[in-house]
């Protein structure tokens, strides 16, 4: 679990200074062919993962007086793909 990993980091390294959110997947194909389960999995990885990572390290960052969170996304978010 993520909380356990963060607890080990805090114990062994005194806290978290930087969080890098860099996970994501993309679905290919026409939207009418994408299964709801696949859509939900994509949202869980691309959005929920970033939320949970940030949520679980922010307390230790506050305790240390601050920190940095870096969110990386694909350039696909800036340009539509042909259908």
């Amino acid at each position: 679990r993520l909380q356990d990993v963060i607890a080990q980091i805090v114990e062994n390294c005194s806290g978290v200074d930087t969080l890098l959110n860099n996970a994501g997947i993309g679905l290919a194909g026409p939207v009418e062919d994408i299964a709801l389960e696949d859509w939900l999995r994509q949202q869980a990885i691309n959005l929920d993962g970033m939320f949970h990572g940030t949520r679980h390290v922010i307390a230790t960052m506050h305790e240390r007086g601050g920190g940095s969170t870096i969110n990386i996304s694909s350039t696909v978010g800036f340009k539509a793909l042909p259908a």
Side-chain angles (χ1 to χ4, degrees):
R1 288 184 0 177
L2 182 58
Q3 300 94 309
D4 298 333
V5 171
I6 293 168
Q8 289 178 5
I9 292 169
V10 169
E11 183 178 322
N12 295 318
C13 302
S14 303
V16 177
D17 295 312
T18 305
L19 171 67
L20 173 64
N21 289 309
N22 185 35
I25 63 169
L27 301 175
V31 70
E32 64 267 21
D33 295 338
I34 295 173
L36 178 59
E37 300 82 38
D38 293 332
W39 173 258
L40 294 175
R41 179 174 172 264
Q42 175 183 262
Q43 298 310 305
I45 292 169
N46 294 357
L47 301 175
D48 298 348
M50 185 269 316
F51 167 77
H52 289 296
T54 302
R55 183 173 144 240
H56 290 297
V57 301
I58 203 152
T60 187
M61 286 182 176
H62 282 302
E63 290 171 7
R64 294 171 64 82
S68 297
T69 300
I70 304 164
N71 300 314
I72 297 177
S73 66
S74 169
T75 58
V76 174
F78 296 104
K79 181 179 178 186
L81 298 175

